[in-house]
Amino acid sequence: MKMINKKISGVLLLTGMVFLSSCYKDKSTLALTELNKVGLSDPKTLTTLNVFQGQVLNLKPTLSQSLSDKMDQLEFEWSAYDNSTTSSYVVPEAIISKEYELKYLVNGDPFTLGQRYLLRLTVKDKSTGLKSFLNYNLLIGNRYGTGWLVLEDKAGKGDLSFVFTDNAVEHGIYSDRNTTQLIGPKKLELTPFAITDDISASGKRLYILADNGSQEYNYLTMVKKFDYAFEFFSAPSIIKPQVMTWTSPSTNSANRSGGLGVVINNGKMHSNLIGGFPGIKKWGDVALNPEGNTNYNLAPFATGGNSYPAIVYDNTAKRFYNVRGYSPTPIAGSLEAFPSAASTEFDMNNVGMTMIFQDSADVVKEFNAVMKDGNNQAYLLRYKTEKTDLAPRITLKKELMNAPGILNYTAASGSTSTPHIYYGNANTVSRYETSSNVVVETYSFPAAEQVTSIKYAKYTAGSTSARLLVATWNGTEGKLYYFTITNVGGMGSYTNVFNGFGKIVDLAYKY
Amino acid sequence: MKLLKYKGLFLFASLVILASCGKDKQLMFSELTSVYVEAYVDSTEYTFATSPITVVNDTIDIPLRIIGTAATTDREVTFVPKGGATAKEGYHYKIGKTVIKANEFSATVPVYVYRKPGLKDSVVRVVLELKKNADFNLGFSDRLDYKITISDILSKPTLWDAVWSAYFGTYSVVKFRFLLQVTGRTNWNSYPFPADTRFMSQRAKNALLEYNQAHGDMIDEFGQVVVFP
């Protein structure tokens, strides 16, 4: 029995030793060859790269090799694919370069404005077939996102320039990206809030008004989207656009939204209403006045707010109208009289003067209108767009203006910070103070330079102060001047000047 | 004796435990799929009179929906005219494909209607009803048929009082003909979008103003001056 046990123990011991011997680590390198390992790194991969259209994307990551330098054995491939959240991931990768250093002009396919892309560098060792990868995240942005858009007239044809926040200027933007000529440019209209009209995707709108019709342009790319006629259910028989804008029920920048769309074309009112309901919203037919006819001629200005969706002025009947937002009867978009309780300082329904200018005042929801009476005297009428049942009055002030040259102004803009209207005559800009009824400051440019456009901006990127932009034209060249406005409205002297424009006809801050 | 008892208990327990290993039949929906008409309104009164003379046919879409599961193959729905129809199939109308496609829960059945000379002075009707077949049971009992009326006669739209009178006032044939002409709208039996009514009411007022300036007041068949409120 003992003998048997010994035999069994011997077999078990032998088996255990055989098993344990397999634990020995084989250090043999026989038949193994060390391969070249390519290392790729770039701190730019840690964040999303914002790349602007028109910009050259230049990337050269750090490359290391575990063996001797074998650059001639390496193949490079830069590929990109749509990496947006909405991407289906079945879109094909686009190969954009086969060089180690990427130098690629981002302009059109395969990159779309606003989309996110994954850009991948693949390095392949031709001798072994081993591949190494490095991924970048790209966001295709728009370098024209924030800055001043400048509308110019170049011998009757329109063009756009852009003044960036770093004061760089780019000219010829319109002609660079649009094939349709802009004949007789008149005005820029940019909405500061998104418009959901279902004509196209919701977003801010850019309209350029011109003699032979305005057009809607892509707010980001400034490429033409629609003809003027397309914006209407039935295009007006005479095309002479003067205003194409959207009023907002709220003035708070967080709550602003498109209330009533206002087009003034050939002195006639057309309206458009958006607000979440289905269907395509286009501008409607000519509005009728309270007498039920179209015998009116609107001044090219429109205001509006919560109480009155839109307020316009008729230079034929010499009175204000408010525009009906929505109702079956009387029909939406009609020009209507104000209730008598709205008027005290002057009669909104019977002003008796011609409107020559209107702009926002220094108090929100209040507006200054410059009027000309039958004796060629200028009056300032101030009113507001808000009322309540307990306080229905909207007229605020009527005053004979002491503002030399205001009746012949060439450009003007109201301050939204201080009680001032800046207006231009010939080569001079005057600062008229609405509270004291005097011109408190003037600034003169060289005699040959005539003021063609003025815009006041309370807030602009890169400036802690309000800014006044004044455009001049000397017969051959347009110039644009920046004035930094003091907290009491003072202009002082200009802080920047930009050259090389055509005749500037309008300015708008794009953001 | 005790051992026998324990053995018996053990055997019984084992049998009980093993019995639980049997596959439970799941409570699954196994009824035959049903089908019903999904339209919010159960009828269409179609008239060619609101369309230009060049329009000789049109399509009425009838939505169907199923109760049950989608199938991996296309399934035919039996959707046929009820007896007593005055509209003749193949002449006044034709029913399109009545199929619930594979992996779908709904379908739209097109009914093609044709402008025929007789419709100028008569109205024809047909009621299409769903019938049970090998693939489908019948769904909700009150949503199994759809009535279609076809004519070429200008008649007061069924929605006039509910919708259009707010914009255009009292109905008259003269007024309606004028509206058809100036607004371009052909379907007056569907609810309009607010943007459409804005434009239509503005267009109508302007067109009437132009007409009255050129020809004097427009008078309807009742001798009343046509007005829009």
Side-chain angles (χ1 to χ4, degrees):
Chain A
M1 189 66 181
K2 274 186 179 176
M3 193 63 182
I4 293 170
N5 282 345
K6 272 185 183 174
K7 272 186 183 171
I8 291 169
S9 299
V11 170
L12 285 172
L13 191 66
L14 187 66
T15 311
M17 285 175 71
V18 170
F19 275 116
L20 286 171
S21 68
S22 65
C23 297
Y24 173 74
K25 194 168 185 180
D26 188 0
K27 289 179 180 170
S28 169
T29 56
L30 193 65
L32 283 181
T33 310
E34 192 177 347
L35 300 179
N36 184 32
K37 291 173 188 165
V38 175
L40 294 168
S41 65
D42 192 338
K44 289 176 180 172
T45 59
L46 301 175
T47 56
T48 298
L49 294 177
N50 289 301
V51 186
F52 294 133
Q53 282 192 328
Q55 181 184 341
V56 173
L57 179 59
N58 191 351
L59 295 170
K60 190 177 183 184
T62 305
L63 187 149
S64 62
Q65 298 181 76
S66 60
L67 297 181
S68 58
D69 189 7
K70 294 172 68 179
M71 285 298 278
D72 59 328
Q73 285 297 308
L74 300 181
E75 271 182 2
F76 299 91
E77 184 179 283
W78 291 87
S79 59
Y81 66 83
D82 187 345
N83 197 29
S84 302
T85 49
T86 53
S87 171
S88 67
Y89 295 102
V90 293
V91 287
E93 284 190 21
I95 296 163
I96 59 172
S97 175
K98 296 232 174 199
E99 301 294 325
Y100 169 34
E101 183 178 3
L102 178 69
K103 287 182 180 173
Y104 184 81
L105 176 65
V106 177
N107 198 3
D109 284 340
F111 296 110
T112 303
L113 186 63
Q115 294 285 82
R116 290 180 180 275
Y117 291 85
L118 193 130
L119 177 67
R120 173 173 294 151
L121 170 62
T122 305
V123 181
K124 180 181 170 185
D125 189 326
K126 285 187 279 188
S127 60
T128 62
L130 275 180
K131 288 179 178 178
S132 303
F133 304 95
L134 186 66
N135 290 342
Y136 294 84
N137 287 300
L138 302 184
L139 175 61
I140 307 303
N142 175 24
R143 66 190 299 249
Y144 307 102
T146 305
W148 283 94
L149 195 57
V150 181
L151 179 64
E152 302 152 85
D153 186 329
K154 294 176 176 174
K157 290 173 188 168
D159 209 339
L160 293 170
S161 291
F162 202 85
V163 184
F164 298 92
T165 51
D166 62 359
N167 293 340
V169 181
E170 188 175 324
H171 298 290
I173 290 172
Y174 181 93
S175 47
D176 176 55
R177 60 199 60 207
N178 288 288
T179 51
T180 310
Q181 284 193 340
L182 190 65
I183 307 297
K186 294 293 176 212
K187 196 175 184 188
L188 289 169
E189 297 273 27
L190 279 71
T191 63
F193 38 75
I195 300 296
T196 308
D197 56 16
D198 292 319
I199 300 176
S200 57
S202 175
K204 293 181 177 180
R205 298 291 187 245
L206 163 61
Y207 309 108
I208 302 177
L209 311 193
D211 273 347
N212 66 338
S214 64
Q215 293 102 38
E216 183 178 332
Y217 293 80
N218 184 305
Y219 192 87
L220 295 173
T221 62
M222 291 177 276
V223 174
K224 183 181 170 183
K225 283 166 72 178
F226 307 122
D227 277 329
Y228 187 61
F230 181 76
E231 306 271 2
F232 293 80
F233 281 111
S234 175
S237 52
I238 298 171
I239 300 227
K240 191 183 173 191
Q242 296 161 292
V243 172
M244 195 166 202
T245 190
W246 292 84
T247 64
S248 170
S250 172
T251 51
N252 185 321
S253 59
N255 300 325
R256 280 191 298 187
S257 60
L260 194 67
V262 175
V263 156
I264 298 177
N265 178 76
N266 193 36
K268 309 297 182 211
M269 170 81 194
H270 300 255
S271 66
N272 192 355
L273 186 73
I274 56 173
F277 42 82
I280 289 173
K281 295 88 180 176
K282 291 187 171 188
W283 267 273
D285 226 21
V286 174
L288 299 181
N289 63 13
E291 289 73 43
N293 62 57
T294 56
N295 299 332
Y296 62 87
N297 180 30
L298 299 183
F301 308 99
T303 64
N306 192 34
S307 306
Y308 297 106
I311 295 175
V312 291
Y313 190 84
D314 177 8
N315 274 335
T316 298
K318 301 192 186 304
R319 56 167 296 182
F320 287 95
Y321 296 119
N322 74 81
V323 183
R324 169 74 55 166
Y326 183 77
S327 89
T329 309
I331 57 172
S334 295
L335 302 177
E336 296 191 328
F338 286 87
S340 56
S343 304
T344 49
E345 276 69 17
F346 58 93
D347 186 353
M348 292 290 282
N349 298 321
N350 184 20
V351 176
M353 293 187 275
T354 302
M355 181 183 279
I356 61 169
F357 175 71
Q358 181 175 264
D359 206 353
S360 305
D362 52 320
V363 178
V364 291
K365 303 175 185 174
E366 292 188 11
F367 292 84
N368 287 318
V370 178
M371 318 294 287
K372 182 173 78 171
D373 76 354
N375 297 319
N376 273 338
Q377 296 202 93
Y379 280 84
L380 182 75
L381 302 188
R382 189 170 172 125
Y383 67 95
K384 58 183 180 176
T385 55
E386 293 290 287
K387 70 170 177 75
T388 63
D389 289 342
L390 292 175
R393 177 177 70 100
I394 63 167
T395 57
L396 298 170
K397 179 181 180 179
K398 177 182 180 182
E399 187 168 48
L400 182 64
M401 290 177 79
N402 179 21
I406 188 73
L407 292 177
N408 302 311
Y409 80 98
T410 55
S413 187
S415 168
T416 49
S417 315
T418 58
H420 297 109
I421 296 171
Y422 301 89
Y423 66 95
N425 285 107
N427 66 328
T428 301
V429 175
S430 302
R431 177 161 65 100
Y432 168 73
E433 195 160 80
T434 57
S435 53
S436 61
N437 191 22
V438 288
V439 171
V440 291
E441 185 181 8
T442 58
Y443 181 88
S444 293
F445 296 97
E449 292 188 31
Q450 306 293 299
V451 175
T452 59
S453 186
I454 299 178
K455 275 286 180 302
Y456 180 90
K458 193 171 184 175
Y459 305 109
T460 52
S463 173
T464 53
S465 306
R467 185 171 271 169
L468 189 76
L469 273 74
V470 180
T472 65
W473 171 247
N474 64 10
T476 54
E477 184 194 29
K479 289 185 179 182
L480 182 61
Y481 295 87
Y482 274 3
F483 289 83
T484 300
I485 300 300
T486 68
N487 55 7
V488 292
M491 293 185 290
S493 186
Y494 66 84
T495 50
N496 301 80
V497 60
F498 307 95
N499 304 310
F501 297 92
K503 185 178 184 180
I504 296 170
V505 293
D506 203 9
L507 303 155
Y509 190 62
K510 190 170 182 286
Y511 62 98
Chain B
M1 190 62 188
K2 259 187 177 177
L3 190 65
L4 202 65
K5 242 186 205 175
Y6 285 130
K7 276 186 177 174
L9 271 171
F10 180 73
L11 191 67
F12 180 70
S14 301
L15 281 168
V16 168
I17 293 166
L18 284 172
S20 67
C21 295
K23 198 168 184 181
D24 204 7
K25 199 180 174 190
Q26 286 180 305
L27 289 170
M28 296 293 283
F29 178 84
S30 59
E31 300 293 318
L32 187 64
T33 304
S34 304
V35 63
Y36 65 98
V37 177
E38 204 194 3
Y40 292 109
V41 287
D42 64 354
S43 59
T44 292
E45 289 181 16
Y46 188 89
T47 177
F48 282 101
T50 57
S51 303
I53 200 74
T54 50
V55 176
V56 293
N57 56 56
D58 205 347
T59 307
I60 297 167
D61 288 327
I62 305 174
L64 301 181
R65 189 167 176 85
I66 63 167
I67 304 167
T69 51
T72 52
T73 55
D74 290 358
R75 290 176 292 177
E76 194 100 15
V77 176
T78 309
F79 197 36
V80 292
K82 256 185 180 175
T86 51
K88 198 174 168 188
E89 189 174 7
Y91 181 74
H92 292 116
Y93 73 95
K94 191 176 159 191
I95 305 169
K97 214 174 178 186
T98 53
V99 169
I100 305 284
K101 286 190 173 172
N103 304 314
E104 301 274 342
F105 291 88
S106 59
T108 299
V109 176
V111 177
Y112 309 106
V113 290
Y114 302 100
R115 195 173 209 164
K116 295 295 179 184
L119 295 175
K120 283 273 182 200
D121 54 11
S122 60
V123 179
V124 294
R125 293 180 184 83
V126 61
V127 180
L128 301 177
E129 67 173 340
L130 289 164
K131 291 274 192 185
K132 192 175 172 180
N133 65 13
D135 287 322
F136 293 105
N137 257 336
L138 298 178
F140 304 115
S141 58
D142 58 343
R143 297 172 79 173
L144 298 177
D145 51 28
Y146 195 89
K147 303 171 201 65
I148 295 174
T149 304
I150 313 164
S151 76
D152 199 357
I153 302 165
L154 200 61
S155 56
K156 183 180 176 180
T158 47
L159 288 180
W160 184 274
D161 292 334
V163 176
W164 302 111
S165 65
Y167 301 95
F168 304 119
T170 311
Y171 176 82
S172 72
V173 172
V174 171
K175 181 184 280 185
F176 192 37
R177 278 197 196 284
F178 183 71
L179 287 171
L180 291 172
Q181 187 189 331
V182 300
T183 65
R185 187 181 182 89
T186 55
N187 185 354
W188 292 74
N189 280 323
S190 67
Y191 287 89
F193 291 139
D196 296 333
T197 54
R198 278 179 73 85
F199 167 68
M200 288 168 67
S201 52
Q202 291 165 0
R203 185 84 278 273
K205 275 225 169 195
N206 286 324
L208 185 63
L209 180 70
E210 289 162 17
Y211 178 92
N212 289 344
Q213 285 170 347
H215 306 100
D217 285 346
M218 182 183 286
I219 308 295
D220 67 15
E221 67 271 28
F222 308 112
Q224 301 294 312
V225 175
V226 172
V227 290
F228 298 120

